[in-house]
Amino acid sequence: MSVQKFFGADGVSLERVVINGPQGSSAEVYLYGATVTSWKCAGKERLFVSKQAKLDGSKPVRGGIPLVFPQFGPGDLPQHGFARTRNWTLVYAEEHGQGVVVNLQLKDNEDTRASKWPYKFDLLYTIDLTATTLSTIIKYENVDSQPFSFTSLMHTYLRVPDIASTTVTGLKDVVYADKIKGGSDLVEERDAVTVNANEDRVYVDVPGIVKVNCGNESIAIRRFNFKDVVLWNPWAEKAAEMSDFADDEYPQMICVEAGTVASKITLNPGQTISCGQILTCEDSASRI
């Protein structure tokens, strides 16, 4: 593992942690936003980051695994909250029997306490890399003297060879809200969900493992204490509206996002909860 330092927008010093795991696996995470920007399994990149993404600390990273906390979407705070635009602290990193684990931390500060979500909190983010898996788990702790509620999500951008031949399984019979076409009590009828237009859906109380499949490539997403899954692809019309996303990149990605966003998580003073996901390569290239 190595920590690389460089300068971003306005001369701001940024740091990136580079993790080298077994059998061609690796990962990179920026301390800005604690955003994982690369995950390689069997030597192949599995996450999508736009070629126009800002990696200088001037705005959230368009791609990888941005962290949404304490607010999903628009609201009293800036879009998706403040965790993805704060500098996290590297606590420790160490090798274990099957790979490498890295811990990052974010605590409340004067700026967050002055926001419209003014509570005292402690987030411990554990990133665990093995030959075929990437685990991203956050321990949320209320260190305030009063209860607080929040929504949170891991906004995972997966790289796919071609969105036209990509399917998402594990969502059949799940109730969802369609944020593009409208409707909040729709039921998914398909065994294999496909994307052929701008999609933005919130699947509520998803019961099990969700898989993203394209040809001989497959990524399984196992969630822990996250109830929901968001499915998103901007397609051509939305891509054209984003300055940090190239117009021709939408066929190369799909967002399948583990989180609790349709309802809120509430913690009493002193309470903690750990939530997250394990991404597993299950394609032929990863069977070593």
mmCIF file of all heavy atoms in Angstrom, residues 152 171 174-175 202-208 210 223-230 257-266 273 275-276:
data_model
loop_
_atom_site.group_PDB
_atom_site.id
_atom_site.type_symbol
_atom_site.label_atom_id
_atom_site.label_comp_id
_atom_site.label_asym_id
_atom_site.label_seq_id
_atom_site.Cartn_x
_atom_site.Cartn_y
_atom_site.Cartn_z
ATOM 1 N N SER A 152 -28.380 7.274 3.927
ATOM 2 C CA SER A 152 -27.003 7.065 3.467
ATOM 3 C C SER A 152 -26.991 6.032 2.348
ATOM 4 O O SER A 152 -27.887 5.186 2.267
ATOM 5 C CB SER A 152 -26.116 6.597 4.631
ATOM 6 O OG SER A 152 -24.751 6.580 4.247
ATOM 7 N N LEU A 171 -34.051 -8.297 -8.420
ATOM 8 C CA LEU A 171 -35.005 -7.225 -8.122
ATOM 9 C C LEU A 171 -36.448 -7.607 -8.420
ATOM 10 O O LEU A 171 -37.356 -6.789 -8.183
ATOM 11 C CB LEU A 171 -34.639 -5.963 -8.920
ATOM 12 C CG LEU A 171 -33.265 -5.347 -8.605
ATOM 13 C CD1 LEU A 171 -32.956 -4.222 -9.578
ATOM 14 C CD2 LEU A 171 -33.201 -4.849 -7.168
ATOM 15 N N VAL A 174 -39.893 -6.675 -6.339
ATOM 16 C CA VAL A 174 -39.572 -5.613 -5.388
ATOM 17 C C VAL A 174 -40.336 -4.340 -5.764
ATOM 18 O O VAL A 174 -40.423 -3.975 -6.941
ATOM 19 C CB VAL A 174 -38.057 -5.334 -5.361
ATOM 20 C CG1 VAL A 174 -37.742 -4.160 -4.442
ATOM 21 C CG2 VAL A 174 -37.293 -6.578 -4.920
ATOM 22 N N VAL A 175 -40.869 -3.659 -4.765
ATOM 23 C CA VAL A 175 -41.554 -2.378 -4.978
ATOM 24 C C VAL A 175 -40.507 -1.296 -5.236
ATOM 25 O O VAL A 175 -39.451 -1.270 -4.595
ATOM 26 C CB VAL A 175 -42.410 -2.011 -3.750
ATOM 27 C CG1 VAL A 175 -42.998 -0.609 -3.889
ATOM 28 C CG2 VAL A 175 -43.525 -3.035 -3.560
ATOM 29 N N VAL A 202 -35.641 3.771 -7.272
ATOM 30 C CA VAL A 202 -35.321 3.386 -5.903
ATOM 31 C C VAL A 202 -36.103 2.118 -5.578
ATOM 32 O O VAL A 202 -37.336 2.153 -5.456
ATOM 33 C CB VAL A 202 -35.683 4.491 -4.899
ATOM 34 C CG1 VAL A 202 -35.355 4.037 -3.477
ATOM 35 C CG2 VAL A 202 -34.946 5.789 -5.223
ATOM 36 N N TYR A 203 -35.414 0.987 -5.490
ATOM 37 C CA TYR A 203 -36.021 -0.283 -5.106
ATOM 38 C C TYR A 203 -35.979 -0.393 -3.587
ATOM 39 O O TYR A 203 -34.920 -0.250 -2.977
ATOM 40 C CB TYR A 203 -35.280 -1.448 -5.755
ATOM 41 C CG TYR A 203 -35.496 -1.549 -7.256
ATOM 42 C CD1 TYR A 203 -34.696 -0.827 -8.140
ATOM 43 C CD2 TYR A 203 -36.491 -2.362 -7.776
ATOM 44 C CE1 TYR A 203 -34.902 -0.913 -9.517
ATOM 45 C CE2 TYR A 203 -36.702 -2.458 -9.151
ATOM 46 C CZ TYR A 203 -35.901 -1.725 -10.007
ATOM 47 O OH TYR A 203 -36.102 -1.810 -11.367
ATOM 48 N N VAL A 204 -37.138 -0.645 -2.988
ATOM 49 C CA VAL A 204 -37.308 -0.538 -1.537
ATOM 50 C C VAL A 204 -37.337 -1.923 -0.892
ATOM 51 O O VAL A 204 -38.029 -2.833 -1.379
ATOM 52 C CB VAL A 204 -38.597 0.234 -1.209
ATOM 53 C CG1 VAL A 204 -38.781 0.370 0.305
ATOM 54 C CG2 VAL A 204 -38.576 1.615 -1.870
ATOM 55 N N ASP A 205 -36.598 -2.066 0.201
ATOM 56 C CA ASP A 205 -36.572 -3.313 0.968
ATOM 57 C C ASP A 205 -36.217 -4.510 0.084
ATOM 58 O O ASP A 205 -36.933 -5.524 0.045
ATOM 59 C CB ASP A 205 -37.923 -3.551 1.664
ATOM 60 C CG ASP A 205 -38.181 -2.567 2.787
ATOM 61 O OD1 ASP A 205 -37.194 -2.142 3.431
ATOM 62 O OD2 ASP A 205 -39.343 -2.220 3.023
ATOM 63 N N VAL A 206 -35.106 -4.391 -0.610
ATOM 64 C CA VAL A 206 -34.628 -5.472 -1.490
ATOM 65 C C VAL A 206 -34.178 -6.642 -0.620
ATOM 66 O O VAL A 206 -33.371 -6.463 0.297
ATOM 67 C CB VAL A 206 -33.488 -4.966 -2.387
ATOM 68 C CG1 VAL A 206 -32.985 -6.083 -3.292
ATOM 69 C CG2 VAL A 206 -33.953 -3.771 -3.207
ATOM 70 N N PRO A 207 -34.666 -7.860 -0.871
ATOM 71 C CA PRO A 207 -34.446 -8.949 0.085
ATOM 72 C C PRO A 207 -33.087 -9.638 0.052
ATOM 73 O O PRO A 207 -32.641 -10.185 1.059
ATOM 74 C CB PRO A 207 -35.553 -9.946 -0.268
ATOM 75 C CG PRO A 207 -35.820 -9.706 -1.721
ATOM 76 C CD PRO A 207 -35.616 -8.240 -1.939
ATOM 77 N N GLY A 208 -32.421 -9.682 -1.101
ATOM 78 C CA GLY A 208 -31.221 -10.526 -1.174
ATOM 79 C C GLY A 208 -30.128 -9.927 -2.028
ATOM 80 O O GLY A 208 -29.971 -8.709 -2.142
ATOM 81 N N VAL A 210 -28.073 -8.786 -5.247
ATOM 82 C CA VAL A 210 -28.317 -8.216 -6.569
ATOM 83 C C VAL A 210 -27.073 -8.448 -7.420
ATOM 84 O O VAL A 210 -25.946 -8.275 -6.937
ATOM 85 C CB VAL A 210 -28.641 -6.714 -6.473
ATOM 86 C CG1 VAL A 210 -28.745 -6.082 -7.852
ATOM 87 C CG2 VAL A 210 -29.932 -6.497 -5.684
ATOM 88 N N ARG A 223 -25.539 -6.731 0.518
ATOM 89 C CA ARG A 223 -25.708 -5.566 1.391
ATOM 90 C C ARG A 223 -25.812 -5.986 2.857
ATOM 91 O O ARG A 223 -26.310 -7.065 3.157
ATOM 92 C CB ARG A 223 -26.980 -4.804 0.992
ATOM 93 C CG ARG A 223 -26.872 -4.083 -0.352
ATOM 94 C CD ARG A 223 -28.235 -3.709 -0.915
ATOM 95 N NE ARG A 223 -28.991 -4.919 -1.243
ATOM 96 C CZ ARG A 223 -30.100 -5.299 -0.622
ATOM 97 N NH1 ARG A 223 -30.609 -4.552 0.355
ATOM 98 N NH2 ARG A 223 -30.701 -6.414 -0.964
ATOM 99 N N PHE A 224 -25.357 -5.083 3.734
ATOM 100 C CA PHE A 224 -25.455 -5.296 5.174
ATOM 101 C C PHE A 224 -26.136 -4.081 5.798
ATOM 102 O O PHE A 224 -25.600 -2.982 5.775
ATOM 103 C CB PHE A 224 -24.065 -5.505 5.792
ATOM 104 C CG PHE A 224 -23.368 -6.726 5.270
ATOM 105 C CD1 PHE A 224 -22.515 -6.644 4.181
ATOM 106 C CD2 PHE A 224 -23.577 -7.964 5.850
ATOM 107 C CE1 PHE A 224 -21.876 -7.764 3.679
ATOM 108 C CE2 PHE A 224 -22.946 -9.096 5.358
ATOM 109 C CZ PHE A 224 -22.092 -8.999 4.274
ATOM 110 N N ASN A 225 -27.327 -4.297 6.332
ATOM 111 C CA ASN A 225 -28.110 -3.254 7.011
ATOM 112 C C ASN A 225 -28.509 -2.097 6.102
ATOM 113 O O ASN A 225 -29.014 -1.085 6.587
ATOM 114 C CB ASN A 225 -27.383 -2.725 8.246
ATOM 115 C CG ASN A 225 -27.385 -3.723 9.388
ATOM 116 O OD1 ASN A 225 -28.285 -4.536 9.512
ATOM 117 N ND2 ASN A 225 -26.343 -3.673 10.215
ATOM 118 N N PHE A 226 -28.273 -2.212 4.823
ATOM 119 C CA PHE A 226 -28.821 -1.273 3.850
ATOM 120 C C PHE A 226 -30.056 -1.924 3.229
ATOM 121 O O PHE A 226 -29.978 -3.023 2.678
ATOM 122 C CB PHE A 226 -27.807 -0.950 2.752
ATOM 123 C CG PHE A 226 -26.855 0.168 3.076
ATOM 124 C CD1 PHE A 226 -25.562 0.148 2.585
ATOM 125 C CD2 PHE A 226 -27.253 1.255 3.834
ATOM 126 C CE1 PHE A 226 -24.671 1.180 2.861
ATOM 127 C CE2 PHE A 226 -26.375 2.285 4.119
ATOM 128 C CZ PHE A 226 -25.079 2.253 3.630
ATOM 129 N N LYS A 227 -31.194 -1.229 3.288
ATOM 130 C CA LYS A 227 -32.459 -1.824 2.859
ATOM 131 C C LYS A 227 -32.711 -1.716 1.358
ATOM 132 O O LYS A 227 -33.384 -2.572 0.779
ATOM 133 C CB LYS A 227 -33.622 -1.144 3.593
ATOM 134 C CG LYS A 227 -33.634 -1.325 5.094
ATOM 135 C CD LYS A 227 -34.837 -0.597 5.691
ATOM 136 C CE LYS A 227 -34.919 -0.787 7.197
ATOM 137 N NZ LYS A 227 -36.095 -0.081 7.766
ATOM 138 N N ASP A 228 -32.191 -0.671 0.743
ATOM 139 C CA ASP A 228 -32.647 -0.293 -0.591
ATOM 140 C C ASP A 228 -31.536 -0.400 -1.633
ATOM 141 O O ASP A 228 -30.350 -0.477 -1.301
ATOM 142 C CB ASP A 228 -33.189 1.143 -0.569
ATOM 143 C CG ASP A 228 -34.189 1.373 0.559
ATOM 144 O OD1 ASP A 228 -34.990 0.455 0.818
ATOM 145 O OD2 ASP A 228 -34.149 2.456 1.176
ATOM 146 N N VAL A 229 -31.962 -0.361 -2.908
ATOM 147 C CA VAL A 229 -31.022 -0.339 -4.032
ATOM 148 C C VAL A 229 -31.508 0.710 -5.029
ATOM 149 O O VAL A 229 -32.672 0.700 -5.433
ATOM 150 C CB VAL A 229 -30.930 -1.709 -4.728
ATOM 151 C CG1 VAL A 229 -30.108 -1.610 -6.016
ATOM 152 C CG2 VAL A 229 -30.315 -2.747 -3.794
ATOM 153 N N VAL A 230 -30.619 1.610 -5.409
ATOM 154 C CA VAL A 230 -30.920 2.616 -6.426
ATOM 155 C C VAL A 230 -30.269 2.188 -7.732
ATOM 156 O O VAL A 230 -29.093 1.794 -7.756
ATOM 157 C CB VAL A 230 -30.422 4.007 -6.006
ATOM 158 C CG1 VAL A 230 -30.621 5.023 -7.126
ATOM 159 C CG2 VAL A 230 -31.137 4.461 -4.740
ATOM 160 N N GLU A 257 -26.719 0.992 -6.468
ATOM 161 C CA GLU A 257 -26.299 1.691 -5.264
ATOM 162 C C GLU A 257 -26.987 1.117 -4.023
ATOM 163 O O GLU A 257 -28.206 1.160 -3.906
ATOM 164 C CB GLU A 257 -26.622 3.172 -5.404
ATOM 165 C CG GLU A 257 -26.131 3.765 -6.727
ATOM 166 C CD GLU A 257 -26.815 5.065 -7.080
ATOM 167 O OE1 GLU A 257 -27.332 5.754 -6.160
ATOM 168 O OE2 GLU A 257 -26.858 5.416 -8.275
ATOM 169 N N ALA A 258 -26.204 0.610 -3.107
ATOM 170 C CA ALA A 258 -26.722 0.072 -1.856
ATOM 171 C C ALA A 258 -26.893 1.204 -0.852
ATOM 172 O O ALA A 258 -25.979 2.002 -0.639
ATOM 173 C CB ALA A 258 -25.757 -0.974 -1.292
ATOM 174 N N GLY A 259 -28.075 1.266 -0.219
ATOM 175 C CA GLY A 259 -28.289 2.318 0.763
ATOM 176 C C GLY A 259 -29.602 2.143 1.509
ATOM 177 O O GLY A 259 -30.369 1.218 1.240
ATOM 178 N N THR A 260 -29.853 3.026 2.443
ATOM 179 C CA THR A 260 -31.165 3.174 3.062
ATOM 180 C C THR A 260 -31.591 4.600 2.810
ATOM 181 O O THR A 260 -31.055 5.543 3.416
ATOM 182 C CB THR A 260 -31.116 2.874 4.575
ATOM 183 O OG1 THR A 260 -30.787 1.494 4.766
ATOM 184 C CG2 THR A 260 -32.467 3.152 5.236
ATOM 185 N N VAL A 261 -32.518 4.760 1.857
ATOM 186 C CA VAL A 261 -32.900 6.099 1.399
ATOM 187 C C VAL A 261 -34.406 6.310 1.358
ATOM 188 O O VAL A 261 -34.873 7.449 1.390
ATOM 189 C CB VAL A 261 -32.292 6.394 0.003
ATOM 190 C CG1 VAL A 261 -30.775 6.395 0.063
ATOM 191 C CG2 VAL A 261 -32.778 5.396 -1.043
ATOM 192 N N ALA A 262 -35.186 5.226 1.274
ATOM 193 C CA ALA A 262 -36.646 5.363 1.271
ATOM 194 C C ALA A 262 -37.185 5.609 2.671
ATOM 195 O O ALA A 262 -38.298 6.103 2.849
ATOM 196 C CB ALA A 262 -37.292 4.116 0.673
ATOM 197 N N SER A 263 -36.393 5.256 3.670
ATOM 198 C CA SER A 263 -36.694 5.534 5.070
ATOM 199 C C SER A 263 -35.412 6.030 5.716
ATOM 200 O O SER A 263 -34.349 6.024 5.093
ATOM 201 C CB SER A 263 -37.206 4.273 5.781
ATOM 202 O OG SER A 263 -36.240 3.230 5.703
ATOM 203 N N LYS A 264 -35.502 6.455 6.970
ATOM 204 C CA LYS A 264 -34.327 6.988 7.652
ATOM 205 C C LYS A 264 -33.814 6.023 8.710
ATOM 206 O O LYS A 264 -34.574 5.245 9.277
ATOM 207 C CB LYS A 264 -34.654 8.338 8.293
ATOM 208 C CG LYS A 264 -34.905 9.453 7.285
ATOM 209 C CD LYS A 264 -35.097 10.786 7.988
ATOM 210 C CE LYS A 264 -35.264 11.912 6.971
ATOM 211 N NZ LYS A 264 -35.409 13.237 7.630
ATOM 212 N N ILE A 265 -32.524 6.103 8.959
ATOM 213 C CA ILE A 265 -31.887 5.407 10.077
ATOM 214 C C ILE A 265 -31.832 6.382 11.247
ATOM 215 O O ILE A 265 -31.402 7.534 11.082
ATOM 216 C CB ILE A 265 -30.469 4.947 9.705
ATOM 217 C CG1 ILE A 265 -30.507 3.946 8.537
ATOM 218 C CG2 ILE A 265 -29.765 4.336 10.914
ATOM 219 C CD1 ILE A 265 -29.139 3.634 7.955
ATOM 220 N N THR A 266 -32.274 5.948 12.415
ATOM 221 C CA THR A 266 -32.232 6.788 13.607
ATOM 222 C C THR A 266 -31.316 6.162 14.652
ATOM 223 O O THR A 266 -31.414 4.964 14.934
ATOM 224 C CB THR A 266 -33.637 6.970 14.204
ATOM 225 O OG1 THR A 266 -34.482 7.628 13.248
ATOM 226 C CG2 THR A 266 -33.587 7.825 15.472
ATOM 227 N N ILE A 273 -24.393 1.827 14.228
ATOM 228 C CA ILE A 273 -24.863 0.829 13.280
ATOM 229 C C ILE A 273 -23.823 0.740 12.170
ATOM 230 O O ILE A 273 -23.223 1.752 11.786
ATOM 231 C CB ILE A 273 -26.260 1.176 12.705
ATOM 232 C CG1 ILE A 273 -26.783 0.025 11.841
ATOM 233 C CG2 ILE A 273 -26.219 2.480 11.909
ATOM 234 C CD1 ILE A 273 -28.233 0.199 11.392
ATOM 235 N N CYS A 275 -23.200 -0.422 8.227
ATOM 236 C CA CYS A 275 -23.907 -0.688 6.969
ATOM 237 C C CYS A 275 -22.899 -0.697 5.830
ATOM 238 O O CYS A 275 -21.896 0.016 5.880
ATOM 239 C CB CYS A 275 -24.959 0.383 6.684
ATOM 240 S SG CYS A 275 -26.159 0.692 7.987
ATOM 241 N N GLY A 276 -23.183 -1.482 4.808
ATOM 242 C CA GLY A 276 -22.276 -1.473 3.675
ATOM 243 C C GLY A 276 -22.576 -2.546 2.668
ATOM 244 O O GLY A 276 -23.700 -3.055 2.576
#
